[in-house]
Amino acid sequence: MIQRRNLLTAAALLAAPAVVRAQGNYPNRPITMQVPFAAGGPTDVMARILAQELSAVLGQPVPVENIGGAGGILGTQRTARAAPDGYTIGLGHMGTHAANPSFYKQLPYDPVESFTPLGLFAINPMVLATSPGAGKSLAELREWVRRNEGQLTLATAGTGSVSYLGALLFDRAINAKATLVPYRGAGPALQDTMNGVTRAIVDQAVTVIPQAKGGSLNALTVTVGERLPQLPDVPTSAEAGLPSFDIAVWNAAFVPRGTREAIAQTLTQAINTVLERPTVKSRFGDMAIQIPPPERRGPEPLRALMSREIPRWKQLTSEAGVTPE
Ligand code: MLT
């Protein structure tokens, strides 16, 4: 009888909608969400949506803290060194947690050893965009580069950031010998491209879409296999004749290594709950942010992804002739 009741309880739990079960009295104070880039960039935009929804799910404020600089290293290091008590979540991506070891000999954190992964929360296409007076097509930009050898400036969020990875791929694809100009995040990098200080940028679609729609940037190509419904007239890189300029960005959440497993599970579950909310689906969808399917979220798929991505970036960067600083 007892056994049958246990089975019924287990079945009821499995059938219940995803709810976040509190661990003891956790959380009982605000949880800081650290963004290793300046405000106004893609990570910040996504963080603010996630933080608002997580706060509703966890019943505590979730303030966002921006720690920009050094291609995301400063903020990521801050998360790695935070107390592993479940009150600091760090957001990272393909740059901070996979490519950076290829760029820096002395990275002050280990993407695998310094963190407990919570899960993947977004995959984003990138867009090549120019400042308003700088040409409306890839062909025009290439012609300009041909006439102004070595003069192209590409704004980035610093060495190892994803806008840097995008710029590097683009520069190599057209052999522009461009200058990659670092900022504390894609937010200020976009701003200077809109103002014509830098000529072009390769950034995640999240932040390029509104500027391109408003005419503050010219979107030239989309770096994935299909056009985006938000920018239907913008060709894919392959359509524009540059198939090797192909890159999609994954974004993920972490806590410092040493965080209790039950607390990390509570946070993973809370993030999954948030990603299923219609408001998040529609706000992310409007910005071409793809939410990974449930089987690709969570700590295990993220660990597996990182174990493939770290060597992939080592190979790509060494083929591109990058030597770690
Ligand atoms: C940001 O939020 O500023 C970006 O994700 C930075 C980057 O390009 O990696």
Side-chain angles (χ1 to χ4, degrees):
M1 180 64 192
I2 290 173
Q3 223 173 10
R4 188 173 134 72
R5 192 177 310 136
N6 281 348
L7 279 178
L8 286 176
T9 314
L13 271 178
L14 283 176
V19 287
V20 176
R21 263 168 291 149
Q23 287 303 317
N25 66 350
Y26 174 83
N28 61 12
R29 60 186 170 86
I31 299 171
T32 301
M33 182 173 279
Q34 293 184 328
V35 168
F37 296 100
T43 317
D44 179 68
V45 170
M46 292 185 287
R48 284 171 201 279
I49 297 171
L50 291 177
Q52 186 185 358
E53 302 284 339
L54 273 177
S55 170
V57 169
L58 292 166
Q60 288 293 334
V62 181
V64 172
E65 185 186 8
N66 297 85
I67 311 138
I73 291 180
L74 299 181
T76 309
Q77 177 186 20
R78 182 90 69 88
T79 304
R81 292 191 179 165
D85 55 9
Y87 290 95
T88 303
I89 299 176
L91 299 193
H93 58 31
M94 196 166 82
T96 54
H97 284 75
N100 260 340
S102 306
F103 289 99
Y104 298 96
K105 276 194 210 127
Q106 307 281 342
L107 198 62
Y109 61 85
D110 183 312
V112 175
E113 298 301 327
S114 309
F115 303 92
T116 295
L118 298 179
L120 196 67
F121 64 82
I123 313 277
N124 291 327
M126 299 194 88
V127 179
L128 164 68
T130 51
S131 55
K136 287 194 180 327
S137 69
L138 178 62
E140 263 181 86
L141 179 63
R142 294 185 77 167
E143 177 54 23
W144 185 90
V145 168
R146 200 185 58 74
R147 282 187 282 107
N148 299 274
E149 209 192 307
Q151 301 296 304
L152 179 64
T153 46
L154 290 164
T156 80
T159 305
S161 64
V162 290
S163 43
Y164 184 92
L165 303 178
L168 198 65
L169 285 189
F170 177 62
D171 186 36
R172 305 284 155 142
I174 67 161
N175 193 22
K177 301 183 181 62
T179 303
L180 274 49
V181 185
Y183 291 84
R184 283 183 310 104
L190 276 170
Q191 197 61 49
D192 262 10
T193 310
M194 290 190 270
N195 294 337
V197 177
T198 40
R199 195 164 189 90
I201 186 166
V202 182
D203 192 21
Q204 296 175 67
V206 186
T207 33
V208 176
I209 288 170
Q211 306 305 340
K213 280 185 166 171
S216 314
L217 285 173
N218 299 326
L220 307 191
T221 77
V222 173
T223 67
V224 288
E226 280 178 18
R227 291 189 184 205
L228 305 180
Q230 294 83 352
L231 300 172
D233 299 330
V234 179
T236 65
S237 302
E239 286 174 328
L242 211 55
S244 62
F245 180 39
D246 177 342
I247 179 170
V249 180
W250 52 264
N251 295 270
F254 301 83
V255 284
R257 174 56 65 96
T259 304
R260 271 184 25 228
E261 202 183 320
I263 286 181
Q265 276 172 3
T266 300
L267 291 173
T268 292
Q269 199 189 351
I271 291 170
N272 281 336
T273 303
V274 158
L275 294 177
E276 291 301 329
R277 289 193 149 195
T279 46
V280 174
K281 287 187 173 174
S282 104
R283 289 179 77 186
F284 272 24
D286 288 347
M287 294 184 282
I289 304 170
Q290 206 190 314
I291 297 177
E295 67 276 11
R296 288 187 61 196
R297 297 184 215 147
E300 281 319 317
L302 178 53
R303 271 194 200 101
L305 175 69
M306 286 169 66
S307 71
R308 293 191 302 274
E309 283 283 277
I310 294 170
R312 181 173 83 94
W313 279 103
K314 277 231 157 67
Q315 188 176 341
L316 282 176
T317 49
S318 95
E319 280 166 9
V322 171
T323 40
E325 292 168 10

